[in-house]
PDB file of all heavy atoms in Angstrom:
ATOM      1  N   ALA A 617     -24.230   6.205  46.474  1.00 91.00           N
ATOM      2  CA  ALA A 617     -23.183   7.107  46.957  1.00 91.00           C
ATOM      3  C   ALA A 617     -23.034   8.303  46.010  1.00 91.00           C
ATOM      4  O   ALA A 617     -22.811   9.437  46.471  1.00 91.00           O
ATOM      5  CB  ALA A 617     -21.860   6.356  47.077  1.00 91.00           C
ATOM      6  N   ASP A 618     -23.175   8.076  44.696  1.00 89.00           N
ATOM      7  CA  ASP A 618     -23.115   9.177  43.728  1.00 89.00           C
ATOM      8  C   ASP A 618     -24.261  10.156  43.962  1.00 89.00           C
ATOM      9  O   ASP A 618     -24.069  11.376  43.930  1.00 89.00           O
ATOM     10  CB  ASP A 618     -23.180   8.641  42.294  1.00 89.00           C
ATOM     11  CG  ASP A 618     -21.948   7.848  41.894  1.00 89.00           C
ATOM     12  OD1 ASP A 618     -20.872   8.091  42.457  1.00 89.00           O
ATOM     13  OD2 ASP A 618     -22.083   6.978  40.995  1.00 89.00           O
ATOM     14  N   ARG A 619     -25.442   9.633  44.215  1.00 91.00           N
ATOM     15  CA  ARG A 619     -26.612  10.496  44.460  1.00 91.00           C
ATOM     16  C   ARG A 619     -26.421  11.300  45.744  1.00 91.00           C
ATOM     17  O   ARG A 619     -26.770  12.487  45.795  1.00 91.00           O
ATOM     18  CB  ARG A 619     -27.868   9.642  44.526  1.00 91.00           C
ATOM     19  CG  ARG A 619     -28.296   9.098  43.175  1.00 91.00           C
ATOM     20  CD  ARG A 619     -29.694   8.468  43.224  1.00 91.00           C
ATOM     21  NE  ARG A 619     -30.109   8.044  41.908  1.00 91.00           N
ATOM     22  CZ  ARG A 619     -29.934   6.824  41.415  1.00 91.00           C
ATOM     23  NH1 ARG A 619     -29.355   5.896  42.152  1.00 91.00           N
ATOM     24  NH2 ARG A 619     -30.343   6.516  40.211  1.00 91.00           N
ATOM     25  N   ASP A 620     -25.876  10.666  46.783  1.00 93.00           N
ATOM     26  CA  ASP A 620     -25.633  11.378  48.048  1.00 93.00           C
ATOM     27  C   ASP A 620     -24.625  12.500  47.836  1.00 93.00           C
ATOM     28  O   ASP A 620     -24.761  13.596  48.394  1.00 93.00           O
ATOM     29  CB  ASP A 620     -25.118  10.412  49.125  1.00 93.00           C
ATOM     30  CG  ASP A 620     -26.196   9.425  49.573  1.00 93.00           C
ATOM     31  OD1 ASP A 620     -27.402   9.704  49.330  1.00 93.00           O
ATOM     32  OD2 ASP A 620     -25.835   8.378  50.143  1.00 93.00           O
ATOM     33  N   LEU A 621     -23.598  12.249  47.030  1.00 93.00           N
ATOM     34  CA  LEU A 621     -22.582  13.255  46.751  1.00 93.00           C
ATOM     35  C   LEU A 621     -23.177  14.453  46.015  1.00 93.00           C
ATOM     36  O   LEU A 621     -22.886  15.614  46.344  1.00 93.00           O
ATOM     37  CB  LEU A 621     -21.459  12.623  45.928  1.00 93.00           C
ATOM     38  CG  LEU A 621     -20.240  13.481  45.643  1.00 93.00           C
ATOM     39  CD1 LEU A 621     -19.540  13.863  46.936  1.00 93.00           C
ATOM     40  CD2 LEU A 621     -19.274  12.736  44.738  1.00 93.00           C
ATOM     41  N   VAL A 622     -24.054  14.211  45.050  1.00 93.00           N
ATOM     42  CA  VAL A 622     -24.708  15.286  44.314  1.00 93.00           C
ATOM     43  C   VAL A 622     -25.626  16.062  45.236  1.00 93.00           C
ATOM     44  O   VAL A 622     -25.659  17.307  45.209  1.00 93.00           O
ATOM     45  CB  VAL A 622     -25.475  14.735  43.088  1.00 93.00           C
ATOM     46  CG1 VAL A 622     -26.346  15.802  42.463  1.00 93.00           C
ATOM     47  CG2 VAL A 622     -24.509  14.172  42.069  1.00 93.00           C
ATOM     48  N   ASP A 623     -26.387  15.365  46.065  1.00 93.00           N
ATOM     49  CA  ASP A 623     -27.289  16.039  47.013  1.00 93.00           C
ATOM     50  C   ASP A 623     -26.494  16.940  47.963  1.00 93.00           C
ATOM     51  O   ASP A 623     -26.902  18.074  48.243  1.00 93.00           O
ATOM     52  CB  ASP A 623     -28.096  15.017  47.812  1.00 93.00           C
ATOM     53  CG  ASP A 623     -29.156  14.327  46.949  1.00 93.00           C
ATOM     54  OD1 ASP A 623     -29.515  14.896  45.892  1.00 93.00           O
ATOM     55  OD2 ASP A 623     -29.605  13.229  47.336  1.00 93.00           O
ATOM     56  N   ALA A 624     -25.329  16.465  48.423  1.00 93.00           N
ATOM     57  CA  ALA A 624     -24.500  17.254  49.343  1.00 93.00           C
ATOM     58  C   ALA A 624     -23.958  18.494  48.607  1.00 93.00           C
ATOM     59  O   ALA A 624     -23.908  19.582  49.197  1.00 93.00           O
ATOM     60  CB  ALA A 624     -23.349  16.406  49.879  1.00 93.00           C
ATOM     61  N   ALA A 625     -23.549  18.344  47.366  1.00 93.00           N
ATOM     62  CA  ALA A 625     -23.035  19.487  46.608  1.00 93.00           C
ATOM     63  C   ALA A 625     -24.119  20.503  46.352  1.00 93.00           C
ATOM     64  O   ALA A 625     -23.899  21.714  46.449  1.00 93.00           O
ATOM     65  CB  ALA A 625     -22.431  19.007  45.285  1.00 93.00           C
ATOM     66  N   LEU A 626     -25.357  20.046  46.083  1.00 93.00           N
ATOM     67  CA  LEU A 626     -26.475  20.974  45.864  1.00 93.00           C
ATOM     68  C   LEU A 626     -26.835  21.692  47.161  1.00 93.00           C
ATOM     69  O   LEU A 626     -27.149  22.885  47.142  1.00 93.00           O
ATOM     70  CB  LEU A 626     -27.686  20.213  45.306  1.00 93.00           C
ATOM     71  CG  LEU A 626     -27.582  19.764  43.860  1.00 93.00           C
ATOM     72  CD1 LEU A 626     -28.783  18.883  43.478  1.00 93.00           C
ATOM     73  CD2 LEU A 626     -27.469  20.935  42.919  1.00 93.00           C
ATOM     74  N   ALA A 627     -26.751  20.979  48.264  1.00 91.00           N
ATOM     75  CA  ALA A 627     -27.053  21.605  49.568  1.00 91.00           C
ATOM     76  C   ALA A 627     -26.011  22.653  49.896  1.00 91.00           C
ATOM     77  O   ALA A 627     -26.332  23.731  50.393  1.00 91.00           O
ATOM     78  CB  ALA A 627     -27.110  20.529  50.657  1.00 91.00           C
ATOM     79  N   ASP A 628     -24.736  22.377  49.626  1.00 87.00           N
ATOM     80  CA  ASP A 628     -23.666  23.352  49.854  1.00 87.00           C
ATOM     81  C   ASP A 628     -23.871  24.588  48.981  1.00 87.00           C
ATOM     82  O   ASP A 628     -23.647  25.722  49.416  1.00 87.00           O
ATOM     83  CB  ASP A 628     -22.287  22.751  49.533  1.00 87.00           C
ATOM     84  CG  ASP A 628     -21.674  22.015  50.707  1.00 87.00           C
ATOM     85  OD1 ASP A 628     -22.208  22.155  51.809  1.00 87.00           O
ATOM     86  OD2 ASP A 628     -20.663  21.328  50.480  1.00 87.00           O
ATOM     87  N   ASP A 629     -24.311  24.360  47.743  1.00 83.00           N
ATOM     88  CA  ASP A 629     -24.531  25.458  46.810  1.00 83.00           C
ATOM     89  C   ASP A 629     -25.666  26.339  47.299  1.00 83.00           C
ATOM     90  O   ASP A 629     -25.611  27.562  47.183  1.00 83.00           O
ATOM     91  CB  ASP A 629     -24.826  24.892  45.420  1.00 83.00           C
ATOM     92  CG  ASP A 629     -24.765  25.963  44.343  1.00 83.00           C
ATOM     93  OD1 ASP A 629     -23.941  26.882  44.490  1.00 83.00           O
ATOM     94  OD2 ASP A 629     -25.527  25.864  43.362  1.00 83.00           O
ATOM     95  N   GLU A 630     -26.719  25.742  47.849  1.00 84.00           N
ATOM     96  CA  GLU A 630     -27.856  26.523  48.370  1.00 84.00           C
ATOM     97  C   GLU A 630     -27.446  27.306  49.603  1.00 84.00           C
ATOM     98  O   GLU A 630     -27.903  28.425  49.813  1.00 84.00           O
ATOM     99  CB  GLU A 630     -29.023  25.576  48.695  1.00 84.00           C
ATOM    100  CG  GLU A 630     -29.733  25.047  47.469  1.00 84.00           C
ATOM    101  CD  GLU A 630     -30.862  24.088  47.819  1.00 84.00           C
ATOM    102  OE1 GLU A 630     -31.178  23.939  49.018  1.00 84.00           O
ATOM    103  OE2 GLU A 630     -31.410  23.479  46.885  1.00 84.00           O
ATOM    104  N   ASP A 631     -26.567  26.742  50.457  1.00 79.00           N
ATOM    105  CA  ASP A 631     -26.109  27.437  51.668  1.00 79.00           C
ATOM    106  C   ASP A 631     -25.247  28.641  51.312  1.00 79.00           C
ATOM    107  O   ASP A 631     -25.265  29.664  52.001  1.00 79.00           O
ATOM    108  CB  ASP A 631     -25.290  26.480  52.559  1.00 79.00           C
ATOM    109  CG  ASP A 631     -26.186  25.408  53.188  1.00 79.00           C
ATOM    110  OD1 ASP A 631     -27.412  25.602  53.212  1.00 79.00           O
ATOM    111  OD2 ASP A 631     -25.621  24.382  53.625  1.00 79.00           O
ATOM    112  N   ASP A 632     -24.476  28.567  50.222  1.00 76.00           N
ATOM    113  CA  ASP A 632     -23.591  29.660  49.811  1.00 76.00           C
ATOM    114  C   ASP A 632     -24.382  30.822  49.217  1.00 76.00           C
ATOM    115  O   ASP A 632     -23.929  31.960  49.257  1.00 76.00           O
ATOM    116  CB  ASP A 632     -22.570  29.177  48.782  1.00 76.00           C
ATOM    117  CG  ASP A 632     -21.527  28.255  49.412  1.00 76.00           C
ATOM    118  OD1 ASP A 632     -21.374  28.290  50.636  1.00 76.00           O
ATOM    119  OD2 ASP A 632     -20.866  27.513  48.650  1.00 76.00           O
ATOM    120  N   SER A 633     -25.571  30.599  48.688  1.00 66.00           N
ATOM    121  CA  SER A 633     -26.312  31.679  48.052  1.00 66.00           C
ATOM    122  C   SER A 633     -27.252  32.375  48.963  1.00 66.00           C
ATOM    123  O   SER A 633     -27.486  32.433  50.000  1.00 66.00           O
ATOM    124  CB  SER A 633     -27.086  31.235  46.834  1.00 66.00           C
ATOM    125  OG  SER A 633     -27.505  29.937  46.805  1.00 66.00           O
TER     126      SER A 633
END
Side-chain angles (χ1 to χ4, degrees):
D618 292 334
R619 288 191 176 93
D620 291 341
L621 186 62
V622 170
D623 289 340
L626 287 174
D628 273 349
D629 193 34
E630 286 179 7
D631 290 342
D632 289 340
S633 28

